[in-house]
Amino acid sequence: GDSVTQMEGPVTLSEEAFLTINCTYTATGYPSLFWYVQYPGEGLQLLLKATKADDKGSNKGFEATYRKETTSFHLEKGSVQVSDSAVYFCALSDRGYGQNFVFGPGTRLSVLP
Amino acid sequence: GAVVSQHPSRVICKSGTSVKIECRSLDFQATTMFWYRQFPKQSLMLMATSNEGSKATYEQGVEKDKFLINHASLTLSTLTVTSAHPEDSSFYICSARGASGVSSYNEQFFGPGTRLTVL
């Protein structure tokens, strides 16, 4: 079945450091790929998405590119802030956008001032 | 943006009792709601999909008599954990999707989750 693997944290960085959170997936079809973020005490929020190969999703300084050849969707940010501290989930949807999400285990990011 | 709430945020109950968790879409009509379960340091796992006015569709391995789902209105779905046991302790998260033809159809909006502890 479909699956998502992402680097497990916690990841601890200093403010303004470069962030990479790796995500790879296994899917039978051509899934849509997502990154969700969960701040303490809140629900999951969509951070960015990509629906086809070579698409780049971006939001709030975060970027991820849908790489079909490496089945990857790594999350990057050039300069993290303390406010970016949260848990990040990589996910795929293999039955069209909005259906049947498969999530990675989540990566906890802590950014220190 | 679309907001989904869950109640309660935390619940502690004794073994053998039943617990009801509510999931509400606050500013849109959710024709479809999803229930997930998350164990510590593990993925969110889809338990069931519920469509307003019809029976829920359960994922393989999820006991429908154990986890009762009701989606009686376009803004409310409930998950009842019946005869709860310690192994049911987990973090339960709901999400909602709007009707076809509106912007909220193309995304799942997540609630903040409910942490259930069964003693």
Side-chain angles (χ1 to χ4, degrees), chain A residues 4 8 34 36 38 41-46 49 89 95 97-106, chain B residues 32 34 36 38 41-46 49 59 91 93 97 105-113:
Chain A
V4 174
E8 295 195 28
F34 307 83
Y36 281 84
Q38 187 175 32
E42 298 184 16
L44 273 68
Q45 300 174 25
L46 178 64
K49 67 181 189 294
F89 293 92
R95 287 186 204 164
Y97 193 19
Q99 287 276 18
N100 196 33
F101 273 58
V102 176
F103 286 87
Chain B
T32 305
F34 304 85
Y36 295 86
Q38 185 181 29
K41 297 184 179 181
Q42 294 190 26
S43 302
L44 277 72
M45 296 187 65
L46 180 65
T49 302
E59 296 298 303
F91 193 55
I93 301 174
R97 189 183 76 175
Y105 177 79
N106 290 322
E107 188 174 334
Q108 288 190 26
F109 301 95
F110 287 84

Side-chain angles (χ1 to χ4, degrees), chain A:
Chain A
D2 296 351
S3 66
V4 174
T5 303
Q6 63 180 106
M7 59 188 289
E8 295 195 28
V11 173
T12 302
L13 297 173
S14 298
E15 203 165 25
E16 300 184 1
F18 184 86
L19 168 71
T20 299
I21 301 178
N22 291 336
C23 171
T24 56
Y25 67 90
T26 302
T28 53
Y30 297 93
S32 296
L33 302 174
F34 307 83
W35 276 100
Y36 281 84
V37 58
Q38 187 175 32
Y39 298 103
E42 298 184 16
L44 273 68
Q45 300 174 25
L46 178 64
L47 181 60
L48 53 84
K49 67 181 189 294
T51 58
K52 62 183 188 295
D54 300 326
D55 269 3
K56 177 187 283 188
S58 61
N59 186 26
K60 299 180 181 180
F62 291 89
E63 293 183 340
T65 301
Y66 190 143
R67 299 291 187 196
K68 184 172 181 292
E69 64 276 13
T70 55
T71 62
S72 65
F73 193 54
H74 304 322
L75 181 69
E76 296 182 337
K77 185 174 185 182
S79 176
V80 293
Q81 305 300 313
V82 173
S83 58
D84 294 326
S85 298
V87 180
Y88 293 82
F89 293 92
C90 184
L92 67 81
S93 174
D94 206 9
R95 287 186 204 164
Y97 193 19
Q99 287 276 18
N100 196 33
F101 273 58
V102 176
F103 286 87
T107 301
R108 182 175 298 278
L109 171 65
S110 295
V111 180
L112 305 178

Side-chain angles (χ1 to χ4, degrees), chain B residues 4 9 15 20 32 42 47-48 54 68 73 84 99 106 112:
Chain B
V4 174
S9 58
S15 185
K20 180 183 285 188
T32 305
Q42 294 190 26
M47 298 174 65
S54 63
L68 301 178
S73 79
N106 290 322

